[in-house]
Amino acid sequence: MAQAASGGYEIPARLRTLHNLVIQYASQGRYEVAVPLCKQALEDLEKTSGHDHPDVATMLNILALVYRDQGKYKEAANLLNDALGIREKTLGNDHPAVAATLNNLAVLYGKRGKYKEAEPLCKRALEIREKVLGKDHPDVAKQLNNLALLCQNQGKYEEVEHYYRRALEIYLKRLGTDDPNVSKTKNNLASAYLKQGKYKLAEALYKEVLTRAHEKEFGKVDGDNKPIWMQAEEREENKGKLKDGTPMPEYGGWHKTAKIDSPTVSTTLKNLGALYRRQGKYEAAETLEECAMRSKKNALDVVKQQTNLTDIGSEYTNNNRRRSASRDRVLKGSMENISHNNSTEYDDVSIIRFR
């Protein structure tokens, strides 16, 4: 136990394998398999290692997140609080695994609308990550993103802006301009601006996201090579100049830039479109909204193809296959969307991969 307390604890390979297997079952909606599997593993660990062991805490976390995905929040909270106590006792108060459990509890409270209870847990997780990883680590930025969203749900917009800006600075410094977290954080910050009526600031960020997406797909902006928001505004300006019956000029296949690996672009199209409508720019809004619809269809087609490839040789029912939409959020300790804006969602903070 001394090694664990010193920060040298490593989750055994068998638990990592079990974790992945539980993810697979839960993502298929096969909780009747996932839950007993977790319970049996937990019972075996307690018999061999005793209750107050880091491996038991890891198993408690895994089972808690299965319960959370089922909406069994009370059971999940009890397990997470038990896991937190074990990890603090065996690993120390400042271990990354403690931060992971704190984050999972914050998720749980957030899903139940208990933002005030969730916020201090998230702040403590942030302090641990800053201490262990450094203040400019990408995982710190993810925790900042989570904290910002909790504050946003409480209307604490000054803090929201501070946390988002700091997260954005970290991502730009450590991961570069084209990392998906950069556009995602810009989108989240823009949403916070919108809620405060800071429309010009929000519009500028949305345009930055769309311009960068355009440059990555089509190259530097110049002449006729314009991002979709410029084309949308041109269509808005020209709508009164065209003769009756004259069709609007085509804006090409820009919507193809919103690929499955860049979901933020599609959200940005919808958000900027909504902002244009607020400004009375209906032609511009329709242009972006049409692109967003095409982007969503393209993305769904890709997902469908990928799902079909994944399910080859399997015997999952249609109902179980439908549950696979939760694959990216089950059992990762991820903070999920508990805000009122679809452009904002909580970042993953893994219960398994910690340093």
Side-chain angles (χ1 to χ4, degrees):
M1 203 65 68
Q3 183 184 15
S6 67
Y9 170 69
E10 289 290 338
I11 294 177
R14 70 181 186 279
L15 282 188
R16 294 177 184 274
T17 301
L18 179 61
H19 174 257
N20 292 333
L21 186 59
V22 171
I23 288 177
Q24 181 179 344
Y25 285 133
S27 68
Q28 298 161 8
R30 299 175 65 182
Y31 299 111
E32 75 284 357
V33 179
V35 172
L37 186 63
C38 289
K39 287 184 175 180
Q40 184 60 57
L42 182 59
E43 182 180 338
D44 293 343
L45 284 170
E46 289 181 322
K47 286 181 179 179
T48 58
S49 304
H51 183 71
D52 292 337
H53 190 279
D55 291 350
V56 172
T58 296
M59 202 63 239
L60 287 168
N61 265 271
I62 295 172
L63 179 56
L65 294 176
V66 175
Y67 280 149
R68 189 190 76 187
D69 191 59
Q70 291 181 285
K72 298 180 178 180
Y73 299 132
K74 184 177 180 180
E75 294 91 333
N78 290 337
L79 293 177
L80 287 173
N81 277 302
D82 192 5
L84 179 61
I86 295 173
R87 284 181 164 176
E88 288 176 329
K89 180 179 179 180
T90 60
L91 303 177
N93 291 333
D94 294 332
H95 195 280
V98 173
T101 305
L102 288 166
N103 182 74
N104 290 339
L105 271 171
V107 175
L108 197 61
Y109 288 138
K111 287 180 70 68
R112 300 174 71 181
K114 296 183 176 182
Y115 306 121
K116 290 183 178 180
E117 291 88 339
E119 185 181 347
L121 298 174
C122 200
K123 284 184 175 179
R124 187 181 161 201
L126 174 63
E127 290 172 359
I128 294 173
R129 295 185 188 282
E130 288 177 329
K131 183 175 181 179
V132 176
L133 303 173
K135 291 184 178 294
D136 64 346
H137 192 279
D139 284 353
V140 170
K142 288 184 177 183
Q143 199 73 57
L144 286 164
N145 183 74
N146 294 347
L147 185 54
L149 286 172
L150 288 172
C151 289
Q152 183 163 314
N153 279 284
Q154 299 174 74
K156 299 179 179 180
Y157 292 110
E158 186 175 340
E159 294 177 51
V160 171
E161 290 184 24
H162 170 72
Y163 293 137
Y164 276 144
R165 287 197 192 102
R166 193 179 153 205
L168 184 58
E169 289 175 3
I170 294 173
Y171 284 137
L172 287 169
K173 178 181 178 181
R174 296 295 299 274
L175 303 180
T177 305
D178 292 334
D179 185 85
N181 287 296
V182 171
S183 58
K184 179 179 177 181
T185 304
K186 284 183 177 181
N187 209 353
N188 288 348
L189 179 56
S191 296
Y193 285 148
L194 279 180
K195 289 179 181 294
Q196 299 174 81
K198 298 180 179 180
Y199 301 126
K200 289 185 178 180
L201 292 174
E203 183 176 345
L205 283 175
Y206 288 141
K207 288 179 177 179
E208 284 182 18
V209 172
L210 296 178
T211 298
R212 188 58 197 145
H214 179 92
E215 291 175 337
K216 288 168 65 177
E217 186 74 12
F218 297 108
K220 185 178 180 180
V221 175
D222 59 8
D224 294 330
N225 185 26
K226 301 174 182 178
I228 187 62
W229 66 265
M230 286 187 181
Q231 297 182 48
E233 291 189 353
E234 286 183 357
R235 288 166 66 88
E236 180 69 35
E237 292 175 4
N238 292 331
K239 67 178 181 180
K241 301 176 183 179
L242 298 176
K243 297 180 180 180
D244 292 341
T246 303
M248 282 285 185
E250 287 296 322
Y251 48 86
W254 192 94
H255 61 278
K256 295 179 181 178
T257 61
K259 297 177 181 178
I260 187 62
D261 60 347
S262 184
T264 303
V265 172
S266 181
T267 301
T268 305
L269 286 167
K270 290 185 288 186
N271 289 349
L272 183 55
L275 184 55
Y276 279 150
R277 283 195 178 278
R278 184 184 292 271
Q279 298 170 341
K281 300 177 180 179
Y282 300 113
E283 185 66 39
E286 289 176 5
T287 300
L288 297 191
E289 289 163 358
E290 182 181 349
C291 280
M293 290 180 62
R294 293 186 187 181
S295 301
K296 182 177 181 180
K297 182 179 184 301
N298 291 342
L300 289 175
D301 288 344
V302 173
V303 171
K304 184 176 180 180
Q305 293 172 7
Q306 292 176 340
T307 302
N308 288 339
L309 289 173
T310 301
D311 288 348
I312 290 176
S314 66
E315 298 178 353
Y316 306 145
T317 65
N318 288 334
N319 182 58
N320 285 335
R321 189 173 291 124
R322 178 175 57 83
R323 296 300 297 248
S324 66
S326 64
R327 182 171 299 151
D328 290 335
R329 60 185 173 85
V330 177
L331 296 178
K332 293 183 181 178
S334 61
M335 300 202 66
E336 301 171 55
N337 185 5
I338 54 175
S339 76
H340 301 295
N341 192 301
N342 289 333
S343 69
T344 53
E345 55 184 39
Y346 291 92
D347 280 310
D348 293 342
V349 182
S350 175
I351 64 170
I352 287 295
R353 294 185 301 167
F354 52 75
R355 288 184 290 274

